[in-house]
Amino acid sequence: MDIIITLKDGSEHTLPVFRLMECGIDQKTFFLENKKTGRVDFPIDSLSGFRIALKSLRVSPEEGDFIVLNTATIILSQLLP
């Protein structure tokens, strides 16, 4: 399972939903952090959209992953028109 964030320039950034640590807003930046890739920052004014993609689950997300994913979904839904 991945969260795919689309920016206004058309680029997409795919982050695996596994061992998510936190997400939130820091000044004018949305961030999402997991243990594998670390923290990834996106300027809020550059966000265009996001989606959750299911793929074969070789490694199942943990319960804590869904808590952070739900929080990220709520934040992104409020930021995007």
Side-chain angles (χ1 to χ4, degrees):
M1 181 181 303
D2 294 330
I3 183 168
I4 302 167
I5 297 178
T6 307
L7 302 180
K8 289 180 180 174
D9 67 3
S11 63
E12 291 186 337
H13 299 273
T14 303
L15 302 158
V17 177
F18 181 67
R19 296 200 175 171
L20 291 173
M21 296 169 54
E22 67 179 314
C23 70
I25 298 173
D26 184 16
Q27 297 183 6
K28 294 184 179 186
T29 303
F30 170 77
F31 68 90
L32 189 62
E33 183 175 1
N34 70 18
K35 287 189 178 186
K36 184 176 181 179
T37 57
R39 181 174 164 154
V40 181
D41 296 301
F42 302 97
I44 291 172
D45 60 351
S46 71
L47 296 173
S48 173
F50 75 99
R51 67 184 187 276
I52 309 298
L54 296 174
K55 59 181 184 176
S56 62
L57 296 175
R58 294 182 207 154
V59 180
S60 298
E62 299 173 356
E63 184 177 337
D65 294 330
F66 289 109
I67 293 169
V68 177
L69 180 61
N70 288 340
T71 304
T73 301
I74 291 167
I75 291 170
L76 287 168
S77 296
Q78 292 176 345
L79 293 175
L80 298 169

